Amino acid sequence: MSSLQPADVKVTFLPPATSFSPVEQRMYTMTHSKDTDEMLVSIGCHVHQAAIHEAMRDEVTAEWLPRTGQYTLWGKVYVSGGEYDEKYSQVRYLVFQRELPKALRAIMYADRTFFTYFPWLLDAPIYVQFESIYPAFQSILYMGTPRKYLTSDSGKPEKDRRVSH
């Protein structure tokens, strides 16, 4: 994927979600079109299963969760459930790590109006969990805050770091 162009982000709202509600149970499903290189972001109250290409599994999902008195954006990336060998799972893991800032930037851009209604969420932490049957590719990364993805040209947080769970 090349750098994110706003025109390449296509947004779909899944009712009852709108650009200003809800906060709790708000979920994002981000995929991309290999043909057009468009970033496809669905915003709803559930994962948009119809948008997920089951053979590729290249989606990034995220949801707002209340944790210890503040909201956290908790994302998930599917690396491998056994259908890929360890070497290919490593490649997927590395590609997801490289492309994750762009995916998060697309999600934040797609929901930028939402942040005008809930500006305190601009500084909420973002964590992304990598799911794999291989322990080496199971991790949780702190990816910064929505503000960094809305104000940065690169969309990269200052420093990604693993967290233990």
Side-chain angles (χ1 to χ4, degrees):
M1 290 184 231
S2 58
S3 65
L4 179 70
Q5 300 298 318
D8 292 338
V9 178
K10 304 300 180 207
V11 184
T12 302
F13 282 93
L14 305 172
T18 66
S19 60
F20 57 87
S21 74
V23 175
E24 202 159 325
Q25 297 181 344
R26 189 176 197 82
M27 297 190 79
Y28 305 98
T29 306
M30 200 292 305
T31 60
H32 79 281
S33 168
K34 290 228 184 265
D35 298 330
T36 64
D37 209 29
E38 291 176 322
M39 308 291 281
L40 310 171
V41 179
S42 300
I43 302 169
C45 296
H46 60 284
V47 172
H48 190 193
Q49 291 295 333
I52 296 173
H53 190 283
E54 287 299 321
M56 292 175 45
R57 292 302 311 261
D58 63 349
E59 75 276 0
V60 175
T61 62
E63 70 178 301
W64 288 104
L65 297 173
R67 300 244 166 124
T68 62
Q70 70 173 355
Y71 278 94
T72 299
L73 187 60
W74 188 264
K76 291 185 180 178
V77 174
Y78 179 83
V79 177
S80 176
E83 66 281 313
Y84 306 117
D85 67 14
E86 191 167 0
K87 193 67 171 167
Y88 190 67
S89 295
Q90 180 182 24
V91 170
R92 285 177 54 84
Y93 180 74
L94 295 172
V95 168
F96 273 124
Q97 282 190 324
R98 184 186 73 222
E99 298 295 337
L100 189 55
K102 183 178 177 184
L104 291 172
R105 187 167 181 227
I107 290 170
M108 298 312 137
Y109 177 80
D111 214 13
R112 64 196 178 281
T113 303
F114 176 74
F115 292 105
T116 63
Y117 292 97
F118 302 98
W120 60 88
L121 293 177
L122 287 168
D123 297 310
I126 300 170
Y127 294 96
V128 177
Q129 179 178 357
F130 289 75
E131 299 177 327
S132 176
I133 64 162
Y134 301 105
F137 314 126
Q138 295 174 5
S139 63
I140 298 171
L141 297 179
Y142 170 72
M143 295 299 296
T145 66
R147 183 180 307 276
K148 291 180 182 178
Y149 294 95
L150 288 169
T151 60
S152 167
D153 286 334
S154 68
K156 293 181 182 174
E158 291 171 9
K159 182 178 180 184
D160 297 346
R161 61 182 166 98
R162 280 184 184 239
V163 295
S164 59
H165 52 283

